[in-house]
Amino acid sequence: MPTRVSLDTRAEPQQSRRGSGWIVPLLVAMLVLGVGIGVLGPGTDAEPVAPAGTAAADPEAPMDLHDDEDHGGHGVGQLPTSGVVAGAGGARRGAAGFPAGFPRTQEGAAAAATVFLQALTSTGVYEPVVRRRILTAVGDPSWLSAQRAGIEAAIGAEARALGLDDKGQPPADRVVLSTIRPAWGAYRVAAFSPEAAEVVIWYYTERGVVARQGDPPQGTWRTSTLRLRWTGDWKVTALPAHRDGPVPDFAPRSAPPIFERARLLGTAWRLYANTET
């Protein structure tokens, strides 16, 4: 049975995620506010190849979220549903309790990327001890060895921008709250080979530092790109690159209808098996 990481925190939107245990932060995903993590690691040994009918995404170029064949998704009625479960996958538990043993397939890479996005945008990355466990669990060892200083600098800058201290803690009267909802969005495999993959995920997020008894953070829609390498399992070779939008034409804090996702994204995208509507 695939292992699972829960992404659902709606039942307790104002509860602090700063518990003493390090597992809890791993289960609460966070999207970086205003400054996306975008440190790129070394290239893969074999470049991923775009699946038929698609082109590999260039993270330095403006993102074209639409599929060329349907001219931006207009008129597309629905997106295909994959076998990828958002927040789950793998045949076993690996380091730090994360799902591991992902298939060496496009769906396996997409499942791994979704779990890794959750971990790498969680509040736990701001706590030094937890951060090391997360990076060791999800990161390609050669990338970590070569880019450790840059990774630490990028995460430290984000922590300071949020008003967190060196231990990743908010002020005493405030809490840092975060969640991401990939099952409200969709994903696409922008490039794939047996050695490397690039996965793009569109999702809703609520994230920020707020008063303990205040309202939850304001939500937004973001798109994140993750690069992975096969090292006996899928591992990331760069921190996620984040972009804003696209924003659906429906009320916030809810999953947009399937036809709206298709209109925004185009047919190259896939729904998760546990997609919410």
Side-chain angles (χ1 to χ4, degrees):
M1 176 179 292
T3 54
R4 174 186 294 273
V5 176
S6 174
L7 292 169
D8 192 352
T9 59
R10 283 172 291 177
E12 42 182 5
Q14 299 182 20
Q15 180 177 341
S16 170
R17 302 297 191 258
R18 315 306 307 177
S20 57
W22 60 268
I23 282 292
V24 173
L26 301 188
L27 307 184
V28 184
M30 176 204 87
L31 186 67
V32 175
L33 187 65
V35 282
I37 299 181
V39 179
L40 298 180
T44 58
D45 294 332
E47 289 297 319
V49 178
T54 67
D58 179 359
E60 300 302 323
M63 179 177 291
D64 180 5
L65 293 171
H66 300 113
D67 182 75
D68 291 338
E69 294 181 357
D70 62 20
H71 306 288
H74 296 289
V76 178
Q78 62 182 16
L79 299 178
T81 299
S82 75
V84 177
V85 176
R92 57 184 173 81
R93 289 282 181 180
F98 277 95
F102 293 97
R104 198 174 185 177
T105 62
Q106 292 191 37
E107 288 198 347
T114 307
V115 170
F116 297 164
L117 176 65
Q118 172 183 330
L120 291 169
T121 58
S122 72
T123 58
V125 297
Y126 298 124
E127 300 178 19
V129 173
V130 179
R131 176 166 64 248
R132 287 192 291 271
R133 290 170 174 163
I134 292 173
L135 292 173
T136 299
V138 308
D140 172 67
S142 62
W143 166 64
L144 292 175
S145 176
Q147 300 291 328
R148 177 73 69 175
I151 295 167
E152 294 289 341
I155 295 174
E158 291 178 355
R160 291 189 294 273
L162 287 169
L164 305 179
D165 63 22
D166 291 341
K167 296 181 180 180
Q169 302 295 321
D173 60 340
R174 302 179 73 79
V175 294
V176 57
L177 301 179
S178 176
T179 187
I180 66 170
R181 303 199 186 285
W184 287 13
Y187 77 88
R188 70 184 178 98
V189 178
F192 180 82
S193 78
E195 306 302 326
E198 185 170 289
V199 181
V200 187
I201 302 170
W202 177 63
Y203 57 97
Y204 177 81
T205 179
E206 292 180 354
R207 184 265 180 193
V209 176
V210 296
R212 287 188 177 276
Q213 303 302 321
D215 294 330
Q218 183 176 1
T220 187
W221 288 88
R222 300 297 294 271
T223 302
S224 295
T225 300
L226 292 93
R227 291 180 171 180
L228 299 90
R229 187 203 308 264
W230 181 263
T231 60
D233 204 349
W234 291 113
K235 300 290 182 180
V236 295
T237 61
L239 293 171
H242 306 299
R243 299 175 186 266
D244 294 328
V247 180
D249 293 333
F250 288 86
R253 305 199 81 216
S254 63
I258 301 302
F259 70 82
E260 174 67 358
R261 302 183 213 187
R263 183 188 70 82
L264 285 172
L265 302 174
T267 56
W269 293 72
R270 300 290 182 267
L271 300 174
Y272 288 96
N274 59 333
T275 192
E276 297 182 42
T277 58

